[in-house]
Amino acid sequence: QVQLVESGGGSVQPGGSLRLSCTASGFTFSNYAMSWYRQAPGKERELVAAVGGITTYADSVKGRFTISRDNAKNTVTLQMNSLKPEDTAVYYCNARSPLGSRSWGQGTQVTVSS
């Protein structure tokens, strides 16, 4: 059973940094593409960054966010720098199997406000 547990969310002032972590269990982590999504109030969930065969970022976070994975520890991390108020959202960890099925974490709130 796939289990994804996010941590590291919180409140920060504009320009600050946060580091989100997702710890995975119940599957062969190295075989899965991992990604971070976010959903702001009243908006659809959107892809933030993904790491699998290639690493991709949403245009809105390029140069500010960095996704990385540690296959030995079954973790995927999102380092977020130069945070802006528009980065405020619930951030979700996602695992995609080789067959395309997706699993989600419970989400962690990130609030950027002065």
Side-chain angles (χ1 to χ4, degrees), residues 91-102:
Y91 284 70
Y92 296 91
C93 179
N94 176 266
R96 180 170 58 84
S97 77
L99 297 180
S101 63
R102 291 185 177 274

Side-chain angles (χ1 to χ4, degrees), residues 6-7 17 21 25 36 45 50 60 71-72 74 76 95 97 105 109:
E6 301 104 334
S7 61
S17 298
S21 292
S25 61
W36 286 94
R45 192 172 296 190
S60 60
N71 289 340
N74 287 8
V76 59
S97 77
Q109 177 70 47

Side-chain angles (χ1 to χ4, degrees), residues 23-24 49 58 75 77 81 106 109 113:
T23 301
T75 59
T77 299
N81 298 328
Q106 81 285 356
Q109 177 70 47
S113 173

Side-chain angles (χ1 to χ4, degrees), residues 10-16 18 83-89 110-114:
S11 295
V12 65
Q13 292 186 341
L18 283 173
L83 282 161
K84 304 175 181 180
E86 51 263 43
D87 294 318
T88 295
V110 171
T111 302
V112 185
S113 173
S114 55

